[in-house]
């Protein structure tokens, strides 16, 4: 199997997993979003240690620490970028704003394409440029109609696009990369949980079910990240962006059908414009693939 095919399969399963995440985080609504995030970070570190141990990649871990100081800095930035992304997503899900997360991840593929063009010299065809311009016009229209900027959607989209670009830039084993980037955030997570528990703002002590869900949050966070890291190192960022429409399609369905979030006029028109932008990109990609370009 070609490496590009392996990467595409890994990305497919990572996006399916991310699309289903709202169902999981809704089970933890009784815990604050910041508290969930910090547990997610710490349990991701635990999972990363277990993964590196099972794969016997501690040699690769030590070698990376010795040889690539710039890569370490990039992974640190990636860790904080994905932590911000996690927080905004969890907060939105548990405050009845799943559709805003869906909008974010419909925008994100186009941001990924733009980053590929700006930072990795990936060629962009005229229709791809038109798709990006159309998507951002949809966001601008929502700002004009509603009278406010969709900060949550834009924050989620940009933080994950930055994370994707970093993972593309740094060549590292996926498990090793996950452990390093989450380890940079872990001290802050631990200090926050100690502070929250001592100040009485934490939901601690937890029930047995809550304990399992918080620990499981690290696993369901880590597995898609490992798959995503594996995939981004084997396919162009434009392909990463193209496949990402899977995740927001699932969250959009969950938000509207499972949790009955309102689809008002401004939100509907924004989605419609971005769907049109994605359709233009997909048709352009199919046409050029058929032509062998």
């Amino acid at each position: 199997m070609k490496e590009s095919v392996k990467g595409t399969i890994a990305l497919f399963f990572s996006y399916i997993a991310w699309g289903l995440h709202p169902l999981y985080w809704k089970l933890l609504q009784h815990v604050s979003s910041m508290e969930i995030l910090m547990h997610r970070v710490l349990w991701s570190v635990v999972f990363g240690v277990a993964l590196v141990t099972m794969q016997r990649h501690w040699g690769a871990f030590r070698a990376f620490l010795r040889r690539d100081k710039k890569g370490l800095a990039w992974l640190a930035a990636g860790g904080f970028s994905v932590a911000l992304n996690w927080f905004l997503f969890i907060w939105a899900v548990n405050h009845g704003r799943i559709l805003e997360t869906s909008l974010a991840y419909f925008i994100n593929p186009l941001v990924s394409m733009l980053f590929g063009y700006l930072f990795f010299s990936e060629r962009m065809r005229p229709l791809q440029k038109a798709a990006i311009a159309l998507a951002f016009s949809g966001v601008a229209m929502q700002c004009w109609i509603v009278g406010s900027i969709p900060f949550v959607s834009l924050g989620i989209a940009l933080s994950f696009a930055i994370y994707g670009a970093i993972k593309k830039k740094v060549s590292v084993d996926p498990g090793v990369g996950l452990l390093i980037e989450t380890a940079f955030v872990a001290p802050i997570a631990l200090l926050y949980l100690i502070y929250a528990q001592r100040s009485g703002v934490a939901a601690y002590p937890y029930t047995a079910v809550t304990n399992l869900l918080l620990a499981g949050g690290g696993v369901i966070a880590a597995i898609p990240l490992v798959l995503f890291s594996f995939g981004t190192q084997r396919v162009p960022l434009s392909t990463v962006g193209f496949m990402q429409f899977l995740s927001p399609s699932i969250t959009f369905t969950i938000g509207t059908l499972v949790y009955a979030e309102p689809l008002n006029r401004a939100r509907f028109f924004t989605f419609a414009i971005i769907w049109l932008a994605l359709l233009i990109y997909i048709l352009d990609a199919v046409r050029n693939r058929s032509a062998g370009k």
Side-chain angles (χ1 to χ4, degrees):
M1 188 182 294
K2 292 181 179 179
E3 289 299 304
S4 60
V5 175
K6 292 179 183 178
T8 301
I9 292 172
L11 287 172
F12 174 80
F13 283 107
S14 70
Y15 289 135
I16 293 295
W18 275 320
L20 295 173
H21 271 187
L23 298 173
Y24 191 92
W25 300 123
K26 280 287 189 182
L27 299 174
L28 285 165
Q29 279 186 295
H30 57 289
V31 181
S32 74
S33 301
M34 185 62 74
E35 201 171 340
I36 294 172
L37 170 67
M38 297 313 176
H39 277 283
R40 187 175 183 180
V41 169
L42 291 177
W43 284 107
S44 294
V45 173
V46 173
F47 180 85
V49 169
L51 183 62
V52 172
T53 301
M54 286 188 297
Q55 294 179 326
R56 300 180 180 179
H57 283 175
W58 285 109
F61 176 85
R62 290 188 292 270
F64 184 83
L65 294 183
R66 288 194 301 267
R67 76 170 188 270
D68 199 344
K69 303 303 181 185
K70 184 179 291 187
L72 275 177
W74 280 114
L75 288 180
F80 286 101
S81 179
V82 79
L84 173 61
N85 178 270
W86 286 353
F87 173 75
L88 291 173
F89 186 89
I90 294 167
W91 182 89
V93 167
N94 287 342
H95 285 79
R97 300 167 77 164
I98 293 175
L99 289 182
E100 290 189 41
T101 72
S102 178
L103 175 61
Y105 286 114
F106 275 122
I107 296 171
N108 184 261
L110 302 167
V111 179
S112 291
M113 285 190 288
L114 181 60
F115 280 10
Y117 173 74
L118 293 176
F119 304 124
F120 296 95
S121 301
E122 294 181 5
R123 291 193 305 165
M124 190 177 293
R125 296 181 292 272
L127 282 180
Q128 290 177 317
K129 294 178 181 178
I132 291 174
L134 187 60
F136 283 109
S137 72
V139 176
M141 187 187 71
Q142 177 169 334
C143 296
W144 179 68
I145 294 175
V146 178
S148 62
I149 298 172
F151 287 109
V152 173
S153 297
L154 291 176
I156 292 173
L158 288 172
S159 60
F160 197 73
I162 291 170
Y163 178 72
I166 289 172
K167 299 305 288 186
K168 181 72 175 175
K169 185 175 182 64
V170 181
S171 179
V172 63
D173 172 79
V176 171
L178 168 71
L179 177 56
I180 292 173
E181 64 197 22
T182 51
F184 274 109
V185 189
I188 297 174
L190 183 59
L191 288 173
Y192 176 84
L193 289 176
I194 293 172
Y195 159 78
Q197 192 271 330
R198 290 186 175 180
S199 62
V201 300
Y204 185 85
Y206 309 118
T207 65
V209 173
T210 299
N211 274 319
L212 288 173
L213 288 171
L214 288 171
V219 177
I220 72 162
I223 291 176
L225 281 181
V226 171
L227 293 172
F228 180 77
S229 178
F230 181 90
T232 52
Q233 292 178 25
R234 287 162 175 80
V235 300
L237 268 185
S238 55
T239 302
V240 175
F242 168 67
M243 292 190 66
Q244 197 168 348
F245 76 91
L246 288 168
S247 174
S249 298
I250 295 170
T251 54
F252 180 85
T253 303
I254 291 172
T256 53
L257 299 183
V258 179
Y259 297 109
E261 290 190 10
L263 189 63
N264 57 40
R265 181 182 299 178
R267 185 175 283 171
F268 173 79
F269 280 120
T270 301
F271 272 109
I273 290 174
I274 291 173
W275 286 331
L276 178 59
L278 286 170
L279 178 62
I280 290 172
Y281 174 75
I282 292 169
L283 292 175
D284 177 69
V286 171
R287 186 189 69 177
N288 280 275
R289 183 165 296 178
S290 299
K293 295 181 181 180

